[in-house]
Amino acid sequence: MPSAKKEVKISLKTKEKSRALVLARQHKVKFDALFEALREISPMDRGQPLSFDELSFKQQQSAMLQQRAVETIQDQQYTQQLFFLFERKDRIKNTFNNIEALQNYSLTDIDLSTIDKINHFIAIVDLLSDETLSDPAPYIEQIHWKPAPKEMNYHTRTGGIAKEIKFNRMVIKRNKQPEKQITNPTQLKRQSTIARKNVGKTLVGLLNSEINTGETAALRTQADDIHHSEDVILEGVTLDNEQDVINFAKLCSLLEKGDSVSLADLNQVSRPVVVSKHMHKMSEIFKKFYKERSSEWKSEKTKTTNLSIYDSFIEITGDIFGTELNYEHCRDYIEVLQKLPANRNKLKQFKDKTINEIFDMEGSFKPMSKQNVNKYVRRLSEAFGWAKQRKFIPDNDFKEMRVKDKNEKVRAQDQRQRFNDKDLNSIFNSDDYIKAKHNRAFKHWLPLLGLYSGARLEELCQLRLEDVRREGGIWVIDINDKEDKRLKTPNSKRLVPIHKTLIKLGFIKYVEHLKLCFKDGVLLTNHVFPDITKGRDGYGHNPTKRFDAYLANINIREKGKSFHSFRHTFADERKQQRKNPVMTAELIGHKVDSETQGRYGKDYAISTKKKELDEYEPLSSKQIKNISPFLIWAELCPQNTTRASFPLVSKNKFINKSKLLKEALKNKIFIK
């Protein structure tokens, strides 16, 4: 009858007829087994109970079956009540947060050891969540607390009901306890009671952690068909309904009893992902790589950029396990990256927007350049190569991946151009050089040093006074990574003889003057260029921008021309003159390609380098003659001397007259 069906659905707490019938059949089987066991016990036995050991084998089996049926029904009822508890997790959270008397307590302070106590607490939570409730005190007094509850005051607010329960990560520890042999109903009852309490304690602990922190604590259990030396992790466990909670509770019960558990048992819980403890997610791999390699990246910009690149990969592909990584992930990442704007995390218009939301804005921004995409790929390839060596990922699919730019068919050696004779004349024939208008030391000396040494800008900007010294009677620049200096490669560490033209133009006199000032305490820093302010990307950050502006001011605007063009000029001049390529590599700090020369050959003698370097003459004698010497600021004069003793000290160039210079030399000089 319809009314009977309705009663069945209500009594079994389900709104679905099919679900109600399944539960009813399950209960019928259990009760039939129980009644059958009871019928097999004779009236005499029931009237005069014997001890378990005095029963016949058949009677013992019947008694065990009877007790097992009783425990099974209690397990079912207990897990159902636990589900109702989980279902109200938001209400419970709001109750503890908003009722003043409960704010110092948590779910673990309440006695939930039996079905009746759980049911009692659920009823109280429902009552405390009533918006019309004016005084919660009478209901709080009815809560079954564990020993020694504290005094309480009262206040309330309502909450909602959770639709599902999720466990983001469950660690399974393989540490199986020896199984105890069950020989009588009393032992069976005791073990089942203990198991139910442990299950309840485990689930309430997980729920309590989620209520208090928003995150589910790791649950340590065991699995039988996994290698004994391995732990595993369950990812994405979701308990959508009552049956899921019951299955999960049964699984916990088996584990608590020490029974065998297989992956098939684990898969009943919303098909979790099972992985070895030796497997790592990509976020963990990037974190390990960064921790090991970041000390080699002395630029804060490099560290920040790399972290941003790693985050972009996880955002696009998802935080997958390294063993799941394949070619398709890398290919799809590049495809998505090419459609995104550069520096999107820095631009206000893209802030807090998802990738799909940015795609909807297509046409309103310029996509990331192919060059920038390839930079991302190179940085990821470095991390993936490291991860492959450590068996975290199967392969480095980024190794051979690059984005081709059809609109830019430029050879690698042409991407950065050298300065031609006209460029060099414009650079060193300006009023700044001819009429000594440079007010900053680095603006005067860095271009000359770059032209005559082929050194990188950062290598020159970070020089210390002791790095300019005599080696075997020859003045050299010692390019090293001492203090906070950084080098691009191990081959960058080298001794470079100082060109005769630099000595003629007064570079050694300039350095020696600063050494005297440093010795006398007038100069408080040992930097060759004390007027350089270290920027985000190192000492070369600000000089790079200044030189680019200088080139634009003298109308050298050709793409690919920058300070680095001095290095290309140096290398190309030697190539055109058919000079020794091994010598060139040593002078500019490149790796020697030849196995014989590189691995077995020693560096050239400083005297040999000096002789060959002085043969390099990029500027004519007339151009050199027109360059005026750089005059040092009036305040930088050694103590107990006069300016007349030092012709390189200017009489009318003062630090205090320039706001930018004063800021750059702040705390670097002592002014009397």
Side-chain angles (χ1 to χ4, degrees):
M1 294 176 66
S3 59
K5 293 179 180 178
K6 183 177 181 180
E7 288 299 322
V8 169
K9 288 191 285 182
I10 292 174
S11 64
L12 293 174
K13 301 185 185 300
T14 177
K15 296 180 180 180
E16 299 176 6
K17 175 184 174 183
S18 58
R19 173 70 178 145
L21 292 174
V22 170
L23 290 175
R25 281 195 291 269
Q26 290 177 351
H27 288 309
K28 182 179 182 302
V29 170
K30 294 172 184 175
F31 280 111
D32 286 347
L34 176 59
F35 292 144
E36 181 64 28
L38 292 173
R39 278 195 295 267
E40 290 184 4
I41 300 176
S42 67
M44 181 181 66
D45 290 334
R46 292 201 298 272
Q48 298 178 354
L50 301 175
S51 67
F52 184 77
D53 292 336
E54 294 176 320
L55 297 176
S56 66
F57 177 75
K58 185 177 181 180
Q59 289 173 329
Q60 286 182 347
Q61 292 295 101
S62 297
M64 289 291 286
L65 179 60
Q66 174 188 353
Q67 188 62 44
R68 189 167 285 112
V70 170
E71 300 303 331
T72 301
I73 292 171
Q74 289 187 2
D75 283 347
Q76 184 85 355
Q77 293 172 338
Y78 187 72
T79 52
Q80 284 175 346
Q81 294 307 116
L82 285 175
F83 172 73
F84 299 147
L85 189 66
F86 269 89
E87 192 180 38
R88 286 160 175 78
K89 68 174 181 179
D90 284 352
R91 284 190 179 181
I92 296 170
K93 182 175 183 179
N94 284 330
T95 299
F96 281 113
N97 287 342
N98 299 316
I99 296 181
E100 186 178 352
L102 300 177
Q103 287 178 355
N104 293 326
Y105 294 85
S106 70
L107 200 59
T108 53
D109 294 317
I110 298 170
D111 187 355
L112 301 170
S113 58
T114 66
I115 295 173
D116 289 340
K117 288 179 180 179
I118 294 174
N119 203 28
H120 183 79
F121 177 70
I122 290 172
I124 291 175
V125 168
D126 289 344
L127 289 169
L128 292 174
S129 300
D130 189 348
E131 294 182 359
T132 63
L133 182 66
S134 58
D135 183 11
Y139 301 108
I140 294 178
E141 290 173 357
Q142 300 301 315
I143 294 176
H144 295 296
W145 295 93
K146 290 180 180 177
K150 301 178 183 178
E151 294 183 0
M152 299 173 273
N153 297 313
Y154 314 107
H155 180 62
T156 187
R157 188 181 300 173
T158 61
I161 296 179
K163 302 256 184 214
E164 63 181 9
I165 301 102
K166 290 186 177 180
F167 301 99
N168 295 326
R169 170 166 290 202
M170 187 169 86
V171 180
I172 300 180
K173 189 78 173 178
R174 204 178 139 69
N175 185 22
K176 186 175 180 180
Q177 300 296 325
E179 295 185 16
K180 295 181 179 179
Q181 188 68 29
I182 304 300
T183 59
N184 60 63
T186 302
Q187 292 176 351
L188 179 60
K189 180 180 179 180
R190 184 184 300 113
Q191 188 190 55
S192 297
T193 302
I194 293 172
R196 279 194 294 275
K197 287 183 178 179
N198 287 333
V199 169
K201 183 179 178 181
T202 299
L203 294 180
V204 169
L206 290 170
L207 179 57
N208 187 63
S209 176
E210 186 175 359
I211 288 173
N212 290 339
T213 66
E215 298 180 359
T216 304
L219 173 64
R220 297 191 176 275
T221 65
Q222 57 194 21
D224 201 49
D225 62 348
I226 302 166
H227 192 271
H228 69 276
S229 64
E230 290 185 330
D231 297 345
V232 297
I233 299 171
L234 298 185
E235 289 284 343
V237 178
T238 301
L239 308 179
D240 302 290
N241 50 53
E242 180 181 340
Q243 191 59 49
D244 274 350
V245 174
I246 292 171
N247 288 339
F248 187 61
K250 286 181 178 178
L251 173 62
C252 291
S253 179
L254 289 171
L255 296 168
E256 295 290 348
K257 292 176 183 177
D259 289 352
S260 297
V261 178
S262 67
L263 295 184
D265 296 312
L266 299 176
N267 285 329
Q268 293 179 20
V269 190
S270 297
R271 299 178 183 176
V273 180
V274 182
V275 298
S276 164
K277 70 174 181 179
H278 301 295
M279 296 163 63
H280 302 280
K281 285 201 164 188
M282 291 307 302
S283 58
E284 297 170 325
I285 293 172
F286 286 135
K287 188 179 293 185
K288 288 177 179 291
F289 176 71
Y290 181 85
K291 184 177 181 181
E292 182 173 317
R293 291 291 181 87
S294 60
S295 60
E296 301 173 13
W297 310 328
K298 296 184 180 180
S299 167
E300 288 301 319
K301 181 184 177 183
T302 301
K303 295 178 182 179
T304 303
T305 301
N306 285 352
L307 287 174
S308 178
I309 290 173
Y310 306 151
D311 289 343
S312 74
F313 183 82
I314 293 171
E315 182 183 10
I316 292 172
T317 64
D319 196 8
I320 59 175
F321 285 99
T323 50
E324 298 174 343
L325 188 68
N326 55 43
Y327 176 84
E328 285 70 26
H329 288 118
C330 300
R331 180 200 61 199
D332 293 344
Y333 169 76
I334 293 176
E335 288 181 2
V336 172
L337 198 64
Q338 292 182 84
K339 299 176 183 177
L340 296 175
N343 298 320
R344 65 186 178 95
N345 293 326
K346 298 179 182 179
L347 300 177
K348 188 176 181 180
Q349 67 187 106
F350 306 116
K351 189 176 181 180
D352 300 326
K353 282 187 167 56
T354 65
I355 291 176
N356 288 331
E357 288 173 338
I358 294 176
F359 284 167
D360 292 338
M361 301 169 63
E362 188 177 4
S364 65
F365 61 84
K366 184 179 179 181
M368 188 181 296
S369 69
K370 301 291 190 283
Q371 184 180 4
N372 211 30
V373 171
N374 284 331
K375 181 182 81 172
Y376 276 52
V377 172
R378 285 194 300 272
R379 301 283 179 90
L380 286 170
S381 180
E382 182 184 4
F384 281 22
W386 175 91
K388 181 186 176 183
Q389 288 180 337
R390 286 153 182 78
K391 309 298 183 184
F392 292 151
I393 63 174
D395 204 358
N396 178 12
D397 289 309
F398 274 130
K399 186 176 182 180
E400 303 298 331
M401 283 189 176
R402 292 294 182 273
V403 177
K404 293 183 179 180
D405 190 351
K406 297 179 181 178
N407 299 320
E408 189 177 354
K409 298 180 180 179
V410 181
R411 296 182 306 162
Q413 59 264 44
D414 295 333
Q415 290 176 357
R416 290 280 184 88
Q417 297 191 46
R418 61 157 290 171
F419 288 127
N420 55 38
D421 291 341
K422 183 181 177 181
D423 296 330
L424 294 177
N425 186 64
S426 298
I427 292 169
F428 297 105
N429 198 40
S430 66
D431 285 350
D432 293 305
Y433 278 102
I434 302 302
K435 298 182 180 180
K437 288 191 174 183
H438 281 133
N439 193 38
R440 305 291 286 268
F442 74 84
K443 288 185 177 181
H444 180 88
W445 286 116
L446 286 178
L448 289 167
L449 286 166
L451 176 65
Y452 282 99
S453 70
R456 299 178 179 91
L457 179 63
E458 184 70 22
E459 293 173 344
L460 298 171
C461 291
Q462 63 191 7
L463 287 175
R464 304 302 199 267
L465 295 174
E466 60 267 24
D467 294 332
V468 181
R469 66 174 195 275
R470 286 183 181 273
E471 185 78 17
I474 297 173
W475 283 102
V476 299
I477 294 175
D478 184 357
I479 297 177
N480 57 67
D481 57 358
K482 297 176 183 177
E483 298 182 49
D484 65 340
K485 290 175 283 186
R486 62 185 187 185
L487 300 178
K488 186 174 182 180
T489 67
N491 299 97
S492 300
K493 189 181 295 185
R494 62 198 188 277
L495 292 178
V496 181
I498 298 177
H499 196 282
K500 62 182 181 181
T501 300
L502 292 172
I503 297 175
K504 183 178 180 179
L505 290 172
F507 180 66
I508 300 301
K509 291 180 181 179
Y510 163 78
V511 174
E512 290 293 284
H513 182 89
L514 293 188
K515 286 182 179 180
L516 280 176
C517 291
F518 182 67
K519 181 181 178 182
D520 288 349
V522 177
L523 181 65
L524 305 179
T525 177
N526 66 339
H527 285 252
V528 171
F529 302 108
D531 54 337
I532 289 180
T533 303
K534 190 175 183 180
R536 181 191 64 182
D537 301 335
Y539 290 101
H541 180 81
N542 294 313
T544 297
K545 294 192 291 186
R546 300 291 183 275
F547 187 73
D548 287 344
Y550 177 67
L551 290 181
N553 190 49
I554 59 176
N555 293 317
I556 299 179
R557 304 173 185 271
E558 194 173 347
K559 187 176 181 180
K561 290 188 176 179
S562 63
F563 190 94
H564 206 71
S565 297
F566 287 124
R567 187 169 170 83
H568 284 261
T569 302
F570 182 92
D572 188 54
E573 282 293 319
R574 290 187 55 81
K575 180 179 179 181
Q576 301 306 324
Q577 295 174 18
R578 299 183 180 180
K579 296 291 185 179
N580 184 347
V582 176
M583 173 73 78
T584 302
E586 284 191 18
L587 288 171
I588 65 176
H590 275 174
K591 182 180 179 180
V592 178
D593 293 331
S594 168
E595 174 77 10
T596 303
Q597 294 288 342
R599 183 179 293 273
Y600 300 104
K602 302 299 181 183
D603 288 351
Y604 284 103
I606 291 297
S607 57
T608 306
K609 290 181 181 180
K610 170 67 173 171
K611 181 179 179 181
E612 189 152 340
L613 184 64
D614 282 346
E615 293 176 0
Y616 164 63
E617 297 180 346
L619 297 180
S620 67
S621 56
K622 182 180 179 181
Q623 287 174 313
I624 296 170
K625 187 176 180 180
N626 287 335
I627 296 176
S628 298
F630 176 75
L631 299 180
I632 299 171
W633 313 283
E635 293 90 339
L636 270 181
C637 188
Q639 295 180 358
N640 303 319
T641 60
T642 62
R643 294 192 189 97
S645 306
F646 294 91
L648 286 180
V649 177
S650 174
K651 296 180 181 180
N652 50 20
K653 190 162 65 175
F654 297 92
I655 293 171
N656 287 325
K657 286 187 177 181
S658 170
K659 184 178 179 180
L660 292 176
L661 181 59
K662 184 179 179 181
E663 182 65 26
L665 290 170
K666 186 178 181 181
N667 302 322
K668 293 181 180 179
I669 62 169
F670 173 76
I671 301 178
K672 293 178 283 187

mmCIF file of all heavy atoms in Angstrom, residues 448-473:
data_model
loop_
_atom_site.group_PDB
_atom_site.id
_atom_site.type_symbol
_atom_site.label_atom_id
_atom_site.label_comp_id
_atom_site.label_asym_id
_atom_site.label_seq_id
_atom_site.Cartn_x
_atom_site.Cartn_y
_atom_site.Cartn_z
ATOM 1 N N LEU A 448 83.663 52.119 -21.252
ATOM 2 C CA LEU A 448 85.063 51.918 -21.633
ATOM 3 C C LEU A 448 85.553 50.535 -21.208
ATOM 4 O O LEU A 448 86.236 49.837 -21.971
ATOM 5 C CB LEU A 448 85.936 53.002 -20.992
ATOM 6 C CG LEU A 448 85.774 54.417 -21.581
ATOM 7 C CD1 LEU A 448 86.436 55.451 -20.687
ATOM 8 C CD2 LEU A 448 86.355 54.471 -22.997
ATOM 9 N N LEU A 449 85.208 50.136 -19.985
ATOM 10 C CA LEU A 449 85.601 48.808 -19.510
ATOM 11 C C LEU A 449 84.937 47.713 -20.341
ATOM 12 O O LEU A 449 85.558 46.688 -20.654
ATOM 13 C CB LEU A 449 85.223 48.648 -18.033
ATOM 14 C CG LEU A 449 86.086 49.412 -17.020
ATOM 15 C CD1 LEU A 449 85.409 49.455 -15.659
ATOM 16 C CD2 LEU A 449 87.470 48.781 -16.915
ATOM 17 N N GLY A 450 83.665 47.901 -20.679
ATOM 18 C CA GLY A 450 82.966 46.911 -21.498
ATOM 19 C C GLY A 450 83.590 46.765 -22.864
ATOM 20 O O GLY A 450 83.744 45.643 -23.387
ATOM 21 N N LEU A 451 83.986 47.889 -23.462
ATOM 22 C CA LEU A 451 84.584 47.861 -24.806
ATOM 23 C C LEU A 451 85.947 47.193 -24.809
ATOM 24 O O LEU A 451 86.261 46.398 -25.698
ATOM 25 C CB LEU A 451 84.705 49.294 -25.333
ATOM 26 C CG LEU A 451 85.394 49.455 -26.694
ATOM 27 C CD1 LEU A 451 84.569 48.791 -27.789
ATOM 28 C CD2 LEU A 451 85.612 50.935 -27.019
ATOM 29 N N TYR A 452 86.771 47.482 -23.784
ATOM 30 C CA TYR A 452 88.162 47.007 -23.803
ATOM 31 C C TYR A 452 88.399 45.697 -23.044
ATOM 32 O O TYR A 452 89.516 45.188 -23.032
ATOM 33 C CB TYR A 452 89.080 48.090 -23.239
ATOM 34 C CG TYR A 452 89.365 49.189 -24.242
ATOM 35 C CD1 TYR A 452 88.670 50.387 -24.212
ATOM 36 C CD2 TYR A 452 90.316 49.010 -25.260
ATOM 37 C CE1 TYR A 452 88.912 51.397 -25.135
ATOM 38 C CE2 TYR A 452 90.573 50.002 -26.192
ATOM 39 C CZ TYR A 452 89.866 51.196 -26.131
ATOM 40 O OH TYR A 452 90.118 52.182 -27.061
ATOM 41 N N SER A 453 87.369 45.152 -22.398
ATOM 42 C CA SER A 453 87.556 43.877 -21.693
ATOM 43 C C SER A 453 86.593 42.796 -22.172
ATOM 44 O O SER A 453 86.855 41.608 -21.980
ATOM 45 C CB SER A 453 87.364 44.071 -20.181
ATOM 46 O OG SER A 453 85.995 44.338 -19.882
ATOM 47 N N GLY A 454 85.453 43.204 -22.765
ATOM 48 C CA GLY A 454 84.444 42.228 -23.179
ATOM 49 C C GLY A 454 83.700 41.624 -21.998
ATOM 50 O O GLY A 454 82.970 40.640 -22.149
ATOM 51 N N ALA A 455 83.853 42.214 -20.822
ATOM 52 C CA ALA A 455 83.201 41.678 -19.619
ATOM 53 C C ALA A 455 81.706 42.010 -19.607
ATOM 54 O O ALA A 455 81.254 42.968 -20.249
ATOM 55 C CB ALA A 455 83.870 42.243 -18.368
ATOM 56 N N ARG A 456 80.948 41.219 -18.875
ATOM 57 C CA ARG A 456 79.509 41.470 -18.718
ATOM 58 C C ARG A 456 79.296 42.678 -17.804
ATOM 59 O O ARG A 456 80.119 42.963 -16.940
ATOM 60 C CB ARG A 456 78.816 40.240 -18.129
ATOM 61 C CG ARG A 456 78.936 38.984 -18.988
ATOM 62 C CD ARG A 456 78.264 37.802 -18.306
ATOM 63 N NE ARG A 456 78.337 36.585 -19.113
ATOM 64 C CZ ARG A 456 79.329 35.694 -19.027
ATOM 65 N NH1 ARG A 456 80.325 35.891 -18.161
ATOM 66 N NH2 ARG A 456 79.323 34.619 -19.792
ATOM 67 N N LEU A 457 78.157 43.341 -17.974
ATOM 68 C CA LEU A 457 77.862 44.534 -17.187
ATOM 69 C C LEU A 457 77.844 44.226 -15.689
ATOM 70 O O LEU A 457 78.436 44.953 -14.886
ATOM 71 C CB LEU A 457 76.518 45.121 -17.623
ATOM 72 C CG LEU A 457 76.061 46.366 -16.863
ATOM 73 C CD1 LEU A 457 77.031 47.512 -17.080
ATOM 74 C CD2 LEU A 457 74.661 46.776 -17.301
ATOM 75 N N GLU A 458 77.148 43.150 -15.294
ATOM 76 C CA GLU A 458 77.047 42.807 -13.879
ATOM 77 C C GLU A 458 78.422 42.521 -13.289
ATOM 78 O O GLU A 458 78.705 42.873 -12.131
ATOM 79 C CB GLU A 458 76.125 41.604 -13.685
ATOM 80 C CG GLU A 458 75.873 41.204 -12.247
ATOM 81 C CD GLU A 458 75.013 42.204 -11.488
ATOM 82 O OE1 GLU A 458 74.275 42.972 -12.136
ATOM 83 O OE2 GLU A 458 75.088 42.221 -10.245
ATOM 84 N N GLU A 459 79.314 41.881 -14.057
ATOM 85 C CA GLU A 459 80.666 41.570 -13.577
ATOM 86 C C GLU A 459 81.428 42.845 -13.242
ATOM 87 O O GLU A 459 82.183 42.895 -12.258
ATOM 88 C CB GLU A 459 81.420 40.775 -14.640
ATOM 89 C CG GLU A 459 80.853 39.388 -14.890
ATOM 90 C CD GLU A 459 81.499 38.680 -16.074
ATOM 91 O OE1 GLU A 459 82.165 39.370 -16.892
ATOM 92 O OE2 GLU A 459 81.338 37.455 -16.192
ATOM 93 N N LEU A 460 81.235 43.894 -14.040
ATOM 94 C CA LEU A 460 81.942 45.156 -13.836
ATOM 95 C C LEU A 460 81.311 45.978 -12.711
ATOM 96 O O LEU A 460 82.019 46.592 -11.910
ATOM 97 C CB LEU A 460 81.949 45.968 -15.135
ATOM 98 C CG LEU A 460 82.662 45.309 -16.328
ATOM 99 C CD1 LEU A 460 82.417 46.101 -17.597
ATOM 100 C CD2 LEU A 460 84.157 45.174 -16.049
ATOM 101 N N CYS A 461 79.976 45.980 -12.654
ATOM 102 C CA CYS A 461 79.276 46.801 -11.656
ATOM 103 C C CYS A 461 79.571 46.368 -10.229
ATOM 104 O O CYS A 461 79.536 47.192 -9.306
ATOM 105 C CB CYS A 461 77.771 46.745 -11.901
ATOM 106 S SG CYS A 461 77.241 47.583 -13.412
ATOM 107 N N GLN A 462 79.856 45.089 -10.015
ATOM 108 C CA GLN A 462 80.023 44.579 -8.655
ATOM 109 C C GLN A 462 81.486 44.514 -8.212
ATOM 110 O O GLN A 462 81.782 43.998 -7.135
ATOM 111 C CB GLN A 462 79.400 43.187 -8.557
ATOM 112 C CG GLN A 462 80.055 42.146 -9.439
ATOM 113 C CD GLN A 462 79.261 40.849 -9.525
ATOM 114 O OE1 GLN A 462 78.146 40.757 -9.038
ATOM 115 N NE2 GLN A 462 79.843 39.837 -10.151
ATOM 116 N N LEU A 463 82.397 45.076 -8.990
ATOM 117 C CA LEU A 463 83.820 45.017 -8.664
ATOM 118 C C LEU A 463 84.120 45.714 -7.337
ATOM 119 O O LEU A 463 83.540 46.743 -6.999
ATOM 120 C CB LEU A 463 84.654 45.671 -9.771
ATOM 121 C CG LEU A 463 84.791 44.893 -11.084
ATOM 122 C CD1 LEU A 463 85.532 45.728 -12.115
ATOM 123 C CD2 LEU A 463 85.513 43.563 -10.851
ATOM 124 N N ARG A 464 85.075 45.132 -6.594
ATOM 125 C CA ARG A 464 85.576 45.741 -5.363
ATOM 126 C C ARG A 464 86.980 46.284 -5.633
ATOM 127 O O ARG A 464 87.661 45.878 -6.586
ATOM 128 C CB ARG A 464 85.625 44.728 -4.225
ATOM 129 C CG ARG A 464 84.312 44.040 -3.915
ATOM 130 C CD ARG A 464 83.207 45.029 -3.558
ATOM 131 N NE ARG A 464 82.110 44.392 -2.836
ATOM 132 C CZ ARG A 464 81.023 43.908 -3.387
ATOM 133 N NH1 ARG A 464 80.859 43.974 -4.710
ATOM 134 N NH2 ARG A 464 80.073 43.352 -2.648
ATOM 135 N N LEU A 465 87.429 47.176 -4.764
ATOM 136 C CA LEU A 465 88.738 47.811 -4.969
ATOM 137 C C LEU A 465 89.867 46.784 -5.019
ATOM 138 O O LEU A 465 90.822 46.926 -5.798
ATOM 139 C CB LEU A 465 88.995 48.825 -3.846
ATOM 140 C CG LEU A 465 88.037 50.034 -3.832
ATOM 141 C CD1 LEU A 465 88.283 50.883 -2.589
ATOM 142 C CD2 LEU A 465 88.198 50.866 -5.098
ATOM 143 N N GLU A 466 89.762 45.727 -4.180
ATOM 144 C CA GLU A 466 90.825 44.709 -4.168
ATOM 145 C C GLU A 466 90.813 43.829 -5.410
ATOM 146 O O GLU A 466 91.766 43.060 -5.643
ATOM 147 C CB GLU A 466 90.720 43.840 -2.907
ATOM 148 C CG GLU A 466 89.407 43.083 -2.770
ATOM 149 C CD GLU A 466 88.378 43.838 -1.966
ATOM 150 O OE1 GLU A 466 88.463 45.077 -1.894
ATOM 151 O OE2 GLU A 466 87.477 43.182 -1.396
ATOM 152 N N ASP A 467 89.740 43.918 -6.210
ATOM 153 C CA ASP A 467 89.675 43.139 -7.453
ATOM 154 C C ASP A 467 90.520 43.758 -8.558
ATOM 155 O O ASP A 467 90.745 43.126 -9.602
ATOM 156 C CB ASP A 467 88.218 43.028 -7.936
ATOM 157 C CG ASP A 467 87.355 42.219 -6.991
ATOM 158 O OD1 ASP A 467 87.907 41.345 -6.306
ATOM 159 O OD2 ASP A 467 86.131 42.460 -6.947
ATOM 160 N N VAL A 468 90.954 44.992 -8.364
ATOM 161 C CA VAL A 468 91.850 45.652 -9.331
ATOM 162 C C VAL A 468 93.233 45.683 -8.685
ATOM 163 O O VAL A 468 93.472 46.421 -7.721
ATOM 164 C CB VAL A 468 91.368 47.083 -9.660
ATOM 165 C CG1 VAL A 468 92.308 47.739 -10.676
ATOM 166 C CG2 VAL A 468 89.947 47.053 -10.191
ATOM 167 N N ARG A 469 94.144 44.855 -9.201
ATOM 168 C CA ARG A 469 95.446 44.694 -8.550
ATOM 169 C C ARG A 469 96.495 44.247 -9.568
ATOM 170 O O ARG A 469 96.190 43.995 -10.733
ATOM 171 C CB ARG A 469 95.334 43.650 -7.446
ATOM 172 C CG ARG A 469 95.056 42.255 -7.946
ATOM 173 C CD ARG A 469 95.111 41.244 -6.814
ATOM 174 N NE ARG A 469 95.188 39.892 -7.305
ATOM 175 C CZ ARG A 469 94.161 39.138 -7.655
ATOM 176 N NH1 ARG A 469 92.932 39.645 -7.572
ATOM 177 N NH2 ARG A 469 94.325 37.905 -8.092
ATOM 178 N N ARG A 470 97.742 44.150 -9.112
ATOM 179 C CA ARG A 470 98.835 43.653 -9.957
ATOM 180 C C ARG A 470 98.963 42.138 -9.794
ATOM 181 O O ARG A 470 98.861 41.619 -8.695
ATOM 182 C CB ARG A 470 100.160 44.312 -9.583
ATOM 183 C CG ARG A 470 100.283 45.755 -10.034
ATOM 184 C CD ARG A 470 101.672 46.291 -9.679
ATOM 185 N NE ARG A 470 101.838 47.670 -10.055
ATOM 186 C CZ ARG A 470 102.252 48.082 -11.261
ATOM 187 N NH1 ARG A 470 102.532 47.189 -12.203
ATOM 188 N NH2 ARG A 470 102.390 49.369 -11.521
ATOM 189 N N GLU A 471 99.168 41.486 -10.880
ATOM 190 C CA GLU A 471 99.414 40.034 -10.891
ATOM 191 C C GLU A 471 100.655 39.805 -11.745
ATOM 192 O O GLU A 471 100.611 39.933 -12.978
ATOM 193 C CB GLU A 471 98.213 39.299 -11.474
ATOM 194 C CG GLU A 471 98.319 37.789 -11.427
ATOM 195 C CD GLU A 471 98.015 37.202 -10.052
ATOM 196 O OE1 GLU A 471 97.421 37.915 -9.212
ATOM 197 O OE2 GLU A 471 98.384 36.034 -9.824
ATOM 198 N N GLY A 472 101.792 39.480 -11.097
ATOM 199 C CA GLY A 472 103.035 39.309 -11.841
ATOM 200 C C GLY A 472 103.463 40.593 -12.522
ATOM 201 O O GLY A 472 103.999 40.562 -13.643
ATOM 202 N N GLY A 473 103.223 41.741 -11.844
ATOM 203 C CA GLY A 473 103.618 43.031 -12.405
ATOM 204 C C GLY A 473 102.649 43.594 -13.427
ATOM 205 O O GLY A 473 102.882 44.676 -13.971
#
